[in-house]
Amino acid sequence: MSELRGALIGCGFFARNQMHAWDDIPGVSIVAICDRDEARLAEMGESFAVEARYRDAATMLREVRPDFVDIATTAPSHRALVELAASLQIPAICQKPIAPTIDDARAMVDACEAAGVRLMIHENFRWQSPIQAVRRVLDSGEIGAPFFGRVSFRSAYDVYAGQPYLAEGERFIIEDLGIHALDIARFLFGDVARITARTARVNPRIRGEDVATMLLDHEAGFPSVVDCSYATRLETERFPQTLVEIDGAAGTIRLDEGYRLTVTGPNGTRHEDVSPPLLPWASRPWHNIQESVALIQHHWVETLRAGAEPATSGRDNLKTFALVEAAYRSAASGATLDPSEV
Ligand code: NAD
């Protein structure tokens, strides 16, 4: 098995998780890193012993010619960087949200497909082991055909401390966090024919919305509710847990606080602790997300080696991103929208 040589662009807040996860994958090494910010570049280079450090992504990719590039910058730079990778025939992973606009997102996917270059969006929440556990029960048929779903993320965690840009954008929770919950809804219940959304801003110190409530009509013929909030003060802070409810004709699934899975089926009720493992480099409460980073990056390596399409390919992620765009438009107009028409 030949060594895969990767390069990272963006040495910010979240990229450390990606670097730790690459470190853990046998047969992969990050041979070069890039950031426009000298201090961040130096810090990441020292932490992970990467000697090849660049301020300019094009120079790095042309000189290093990696087997893949991991783009961990924020959305405004994604289109230019993905198109750069496509032009150099370098398979790319790009962090979510794929782009600032749906037009940019489509252009990126088209550019990669035209160049025959793999693109995976780092949409990691569906890889969280508690969410994978829910999917396994659903697939087993134990609760019968679902007729209701709910994907819920409600918290008052201070996300702005680590990611100050989240307080500054015109759009916030649907684009940053709701995008993950919408992707989980697609992963569990299938694609969406129509979406209705309502939003609110409760925290007066931020610019965008910090509360969103969305009703999805799935093509499979039943609805789900996707709700998220960063303005919800609870007795126990749940960050960053996503809770799930599914009602089926023969039973129910509940993923509750504390990673407690409850399945009620024809033979009664059972409980399971589906807590994610605490990886050696991870820290609570982020360990759930950190484990999903490791799992999605494993998936990338497997699919890259096999020449297969990743689950959250650019093409797949356009459907999740269309839900984000449709949700904003629905909240603005009050209308129910078909996401394929945005
Ligand atoms: P950040 O601002 O802390 O880091 C981004 C870094 O990219 C900065 O150091 C910046 O200098 C660098 N950069 C930007 N444009 C560049 C360019 N053209 N060339 C080189 N360097 C460039 O941001 P962050 O909080 O780490 O977020 C990065 C991305 O990760 C965002 O898209 C965010 O939504 C996403 N994110 C994902 C998860 C998840 O669970 N999947 C969690 C947190 C953040």
Side-chain angles (χ1 to χ4, degrees):
M1 192 172 68
S2 63
E3 181 87 358
L4 278 178
R5 298 163 62 255
L8 174 87
I9 307 175
C11 299
F13 168 77
F14 200 69
R16 293 191 70 79
N17 298 313
Q18 292 166 230
M19 289 296 284
H20 277 296
W22 291 129
D23 251 3
D24 282 355
I25 302 179
V28 177
S29 49
I30 298 299
V31 296
I33 59 174
C34 169
D35 201 297
R36 292 191 298 220
D37 182 311
E38 187 74 54
R40 287 185 152 195
L41 184 63
E43 214 263 308
M44 190 73 92
E46 295 307 313
S47 299
F48 292 91
V50 183
E51 298 296 332
R53 302 174 195 170
Y54 292 83
R55 301 280 294 277
D56 177 63
T59 308
M60 175 177 78
L61 295 185
R62 287 200 181 97
E63 285 186 13
V64 175
R65 291 273 159 189
D67 296 315
F68 70 91
V69 59
D70 189 9
I71 299 169
T73 61
T74 45
S77 56
H78 287 175
R79 179 173 174 179
L81 293 173
V82 165
E83 289 180 348
L84 171 70
S87 74
L88 296 170
Q89 293 282 305
I90 299 171
I93 308 170
C94 178
Q95 257 296 351
K96 51 55 69 173
I98 178 171
T101 70
I102 188 88
D103 289 342
D104 284 335
R106 290 192 178 117
M108 291 158 68
V109 172
D110 288 347
C112 288
E113 287 181 354
V117 166
R118 287 259 178 251
L119 171 64
M120 179 178 86
I121 305 307
H122 188 121
E123 178 43 79
N124 50 322
F125 271 39
R126 65 163 76 179
W127 286 97
Q128 292 173 8
S129 47
I131 302 297
Q132 294 279 330
V134 169
R135 170 74 187 254
R136 278 195 297 278
V137 177
L138 195 57
D139 286 351
S140 76
E142 191 175 349
I143 69 154
F147 61 84
F148 170 81
R150 180 178 175 205
V151 178
S152 178
F153 186 106
R154 310 193 78 80
S155 164
Y157 187 84
D158 181 12
V159 276
Y160 317 106
Q163 298 165 275
Y165 61 89
L166 293 178
E168 294 156 13
E170 202 175 309
R171 293 178 167 187
F172 168 39
I173 201 168
I174 300 177
E175 183 182 80
D176 182 69
L177 185 277
I179 194 169
H180 292 303
L182 289 165
D183 191 69
I184 289 174
R186 283 190 56 233
F187 175 62
L188 294 176
F189 312 130
D191 283 333
V192 177
R194 296 173 77 74
I195 179 166
T196 312
R198 298 293 179 265
T199 58
R201 175 161 54 86
V202 175
N203 181 345
R205 289 178 297 282
I206 66 167
R207 199 162 154 230
E209 84 292 350
D210 53 0
V211 178
T213 309
M214 297 168 272
L215 175 66
L216 280 52
D217 293 306
H218 291 274
E219 288 173 2
F222 63 93
S224 73
V225 174
V226 174
D227 58 281
C228 47
S229 164
Y230 271 125
T232 299
R233 283 167 216 290
L234 295 161
E235 184 182 14
T236 312
E237 175 54 61
R238 296 166 175 171
F239 180 87
Q241 297 179 46
T242 303
L243 309 188
V244 177
E245 297 177 18
I246 309 174
D247 291 6
T252 55
I253 303 172
R254 295 290 181 271
L255 176 60
D256 289 317
E257 186 185 324
Y259 303 109
R260 185 178 151 93
L261 183 68
T262 306
V263 181
T264 300
N267 303 321
T269 294
R270 61 190 162 80
H271 299 286
E272 203 180 323
D273 178 358
V274 290
S275 296
L278 181 68
L279 296 174
W281 47 270
S283 54
R284 295 178 194 277
W286 283 87
H287 64 299
N288 180 29
I289 293 180
Q290 289 164 317
E291 185 216 12
S292 69
V293 168
L295 292 174
I296 196 173
Q297 291 182 191
H298 269 282
H299 175 65
W300 168 256
V301 170
E302 273 170 22
T303 54
L304 195 62
R305 289 199 192 281
E309 185 85 342
T312 58
S313 65
R315 178 64 58 194
D316 176 85
N317 196 256
L318 285 182
K319 293 185 185 173
T320 295
F321 198 60
L323 286 175
V324 169
E325 185 59 38
Y328 281 113
R329 293 188 197 181
S330 169
S333 67
T336 295
L337 298 175
D338 176 345
S340 69
E341 288 174 6
V342 301

